[in-house]
Amino acid sequence: VVSCLDLSRKTVHRIWLNFMFACIYNLMGIPIAAGILAPFGISMQPWMGSAAMALSSVSVVCSSLCLKFYRKKGREDLETEEYKTAQNAAFLASNIQMAENDSVVIPIGRKKSKSENSGLKAIKTHLNISKRAFLNK
C-alpha cells in the first residue's frame, strides 16, 4: 500500500510536470506560429509548426516513460523514527499489560516487593514519556 501511494504521488507529479511543459511550449509556440516575429523577418513554414507539435507530443511521452525507472522503497526506507517510536510504545504497552496481568496471579495476602513495584512504575513512566514524545512530533 505504501509503495502504491508513493507511485501515485510520483505519477501526479509527472502529470503536473508534463502539463506545465506543454503550457510553456504552447505559450511560446502559438504566437511564433501566428507570425508575431514576422516584422523581424522570422516566420514559420507550415511543416515547422507540425514538426513542433509532434516534438511536443514526443517530449511528453518521453517524460512519462521516466516513470519506468521508479523503484519501490525498501524496508529500511520505510522505517522512520516515528514508526520505530510507535513500535516501541506498542511493545512497552504489551509488557505493561502482561505485568499487570501477572500481578493478578499473586496470591491474596502477599504484597508485591519494592522491586516489583518500582519495576512496574519504571515501565509505566517510560511508556508515558514515549507516548508524549510520539504525540508531540
Side-chain angles (χ1 to χ4, degrees), residues 58-103:
V58 168
S59 64
V60 167
V61 169
C62 289
S63 174
S64 296
L65 287 175
C66 288
L67 286 172
K68 287 180 77 173
F69 299 114
Y70 172 78
R71 298 288 177 250
K72 69 179 183 176
K73 294 182 178 182
R75 183 180 183 130
E76 58 277 351
D77 296 330
L78 297 173
E79 288 184 351
T80 62
E81 285 299 318
E82 292 172 352
Y83 173 78
K84 290 177 183 176
T85 304
Q87 288 290 69
N88 286 339
F91 176 73
L92 289 173
S94 66
N95 283 346
I96 288 175
Q97 188 175 10
M98 287 190 316
E100 287 174 348
N101 289 341
D102 288 345
S103 67

Side-chain angles (χ1 to χ4, degrees), residues 84-100 119-135:
K84 290 177 183 176
T85 304
Q87 288 290 69
N88 286 339
F91 176 73
L92 289 173
S94 66
N95 283 346
I96 288 175
Q97 188 175 10
M98 287 190 316
E100 287 174 348
L120 188 57
K121 284 181 184 176
I123 291 173
K124 285 181 179 178
T125 303
H126 185 71
L127 178 62
N128 288 334
I129 291 171
S130 297
K131 278 183 181 176
R132 276 188 245 125
F134 180 71
L135 294 174

